[in-house]
Amino acid sequence: MSSQDIKTRTDAEVLVAAVEEAQRLLAAYENPCCHRTRDDIIAMVEFIICNPSVTRAMLRQKMRCRLKLVG
């Protein structure tokens, strides 16, 4: 796979994917046949939200918003 074949995801796509994955985990937890504990689900959601790519995307979006307010 060449570098041209790799699609770079935008910050918004990264953030939306993280939120969708967290929602999927929370929906699975509501399922009566789910054998995960609440602490397991919280740890998984924290892992998704604290992912370095998600953190970078969030910080870049935050900086862009600040620049729009100033500019």
Side-chain angles (χ1 to χ4, degrees):
M1 180 181 283
S2 71
S3 61
Q4 293 174 346
D5 295 336
I6 298 172
K7 180 184 179 282
T8 303
R9 296 192 315 172
T10 65
D11 292 337
E13 289 172 330
V14 170
L15 294 172
V16 167
V19 169
E20 287 174 347
E21 184 65 16
Q23 286 177 328
R24 187 190 66 75
L25 282 171
L26 293 172
Y29 177 67
E30 291 178 351
N31 188 347
C33 64
C34 178
H35 300 292
R36 302 276 186 191
T37 66
R38 184 175 64 100
D39 292 336
D40 291 341
I41 299 297
I42 290 171
M44 286 186 249
V45 170
E46 283 178 347
F47 180 78
I48 292 167
I49 301 300
C50 295
N51 184 313
S53 64
V54 174
T55 303
R56 278 192 305 273
M58 179 199 55
L59 291 173
R60 281 194 297 261
Q61 289 288 71
K62 192 174 169 182
M63 286 187 284
R64 283 188 195 110
C65 289
R66 287 182 180 166
L67 287 173
K68 286 179 184 179
L69 289 173
V70 172

